[in-house]
Amino acid sequence: MEIRAVMSLPLSCRFFKSTKPCVPPVCASLTHRYRPSSSLLLRCRPPSSLTARLCLSTPTAMGDLPDAAMDAVQRRLMFEDECILVDENDRVVGHDSKYNCHLMEKIESENLLHRAFSVFLFNSKYELLLQQRSATKVTFPLVWTNTCCSHPLYRESELIEDHALGVRNAAQRKLLDELGIAAEDVPVDQFIPLGRMLYKAPSDGKWGEHELDYLLFMVRDVAVHPNPDEVADIKYVNREQLKELLKKADAGGEGLKLSPWFRLVVDNFLFKWWDHVERGDLKEVADMKTIHKLT
């Protein structure tokens, strides 16, 4: 970026050290993170007029950026969202961009592990809501998975450790973002954290997951309005319908694929927990002390 663009930034911008280079985000993004070679990280939220000046004075064209073909919405999330880095005991050790956290090269070379959550939302008929991830998702596009899978972000409200409140706050936020489920339909205190699992799964040669995943269950009837930028399709399934889905996926029928984290939960926990969903005593099987390391 030219010096004149940097000099025009507002005084509210903050400078601090970063040891990891990062790719400049799209100029139209509301939150800018530039990591120049000097390793200074500049963060600011400029007004729209300044955003326009920055774009005009930046010599790098969109086509020159790495991953230029990436969907604009997914690119914004990749560079703006800061995931919570943890160790294998779920202790917070830092934060990094969603982009860096999902690069298999960094996952392998730096052992980047981030906190995540998976929501399993059942209706009053004890059917599980599934979603098919959109075709524009960077990792695991068009795979079928549980109701909502995402990450708590490195922000005060989502770092709260007490009874996994930060993770539950993030789950409520993403149910609205992805499925249009209103916050009042999924009260934070109604999420039941049942357990945690640690897994690693490549998506393709470049992208993948390495997550410490909180498994959150809830039984509620909700209105669903999927966001097409995030979700290609949804369906409710009972136990037998899910078993049929698993058979199709195993046989490669209709090109059906399931996310690796959903399959791990299905194979290790889901059907025995389903009994407790129907009996209304899910809290009896909750175990938030154990971190299950699954492959």
Side-chain angles (χ1 to χ4, degrees), residues 121 172 175 181-188 190-191 218 220 222:
L121 180 63
Q172 186 187 66
L175 284 168
I181 299 174
E184 56 267 26
D185 285 348
V186 282
V188 167
Q190 295 298 304
F191 287 108
M218 182 183 290
R220 301 276 292 189
V222 299

Side-chain angles (χ1 to χ4, degrees), residues 106-125:
K106 283 190 170 288
I107 289 172
E108 298 293 356
S109 64
E110 301 179 29
N111 196 34
L112 290 186
L113 173 65
H114 60 275
R115 193 174 280 170
F117 63 82
S118 292
V119 174
F120 291 75
L121 180 63
F122 295 80
N123 62 20
S124 58
K125 295 188 289 186

Side-chain angles (χ1 to χ4, degrees), residues 73-293:
V73 171
Q74 299 302 324
R75 171 182 285 276
R76 175 176 60 78
L77 296 174
M78 276 291 191
F79 291 112
E80 287 190 1
D81 285 357
E82 291 277 331
C83 294
I84 301 168
L85 297 179
V86 295
D87 64 17
E88 292 195 354
N89 295 309
D90 201 17
R91 292 186 292 249
V92 177
V93 297
H95 58 101
D96 208 337
S97 67
K98 184 178 176 183
Y99 184 96
N100 284 340
C101 287
H102 291 83
L103 283 173
M104 283 306 298
E105 178 185 359
K106 283 190 170 288
I107 289 172
E108 298 293 356
S109 64
E110 301 179 29
N111 196 34
L112 290 186
L113 173 65
H114 60 275
R115 193 174 280 170
F117 63 82
S118 292
V119 174
F120 291 75
L121 180 63
F122 295 80
N123 62 20
S124 58
K125 295 188 289 186
Y126 307 118
E127 297 169 326
L128 174 61
L129 178 61
L130 304 182
Q131 68 153 280
Q132 184 184 33
R133 292 161 64 86
S134 76
T136 60
K137 298 289 280 190
V138 175
T139 58
F140 303 99
L142 291 177
V143 304
W144 281 92
T145 191
N146 49 283
T147 311
C148 180
C149 328
S150 192
H151 317 91
L153 301 182
Y154 194 80
R155 57 178 63 167
E156 185 177 356
S157 63
E158 298 182 12
L159 282 162
I160 302 170
E161 301 281 350
D162 190 35
H163 298 290
L165 179 57
V167 175
R168 289 184 285 130
N169 284 336
Q172 186 187 66
R173 170 178 58 82
K174 286 304 292 183
L175 284 168
L176 176 61
D177 289 349
E178 293 190 359
L179 293 162
I181 299 174
E184 56 267 26
D185 285 348
V186 282
V188 167
D189 62 2
Q190 295 298 304
F191 287 108
I192 302 175
L194 286 191
R196 292 175 293 175
M197 69 177 188
L198 193 160
Y199 75 96
K200 183 189 294 185
S203 174
D204 54 26
K206 180 172 184 175
W207 305 103
E209 293 284 8
H210 190 206
E211 298 185 327
L212 202 154
D213 197 6
Y214 284 65
L215 308 178
L216 306 177
F217 277 54
M218 182 183 290
V219 180
R220 301 276 292 189
D221 288 321
V222 299
V224 184
H225 307 283
N227 174 0
D229 288 325
E230 297 286 342
V231 178
D233 199 2
I234 61 168
K235 67 171 69 175
Y236 279 97
V237 294
N238 58 31
R239 295 194 211 207
E240 294 308 313
Q241 289 167 333
L242 179 57
K243 289 175 182 177
E244 287 301 314
L245 205 65
L246 296 175
K247 289 178 182 178
K248 283 185 182 179
D250 289 343
E254 303 173 10
L256 181 70
K257 294 182 180 180
L258 304 179
S259 73
W261 59 89
F262 179 47
R263 192 61 194 253
L264 285 171
V265 177
V266 169
D267 291 345
N268 289 277
F269 310 113
L270 183 57
F271 288 110
K272 63 183 177 183
W273 284 350
W274 212 312
D275 293 334
H276 295 275
V277 169
E278 295 180 355
R279 290 204 299 261
D281 60 1
L282 270 171
K283 291 182 180 180
E284 291 187 7
V285 292
D287 174 12
M288 294 304 292
K289 293 181 179 180
T290 305
I291 297 175
H292 301 274
K293 296 182 180 180

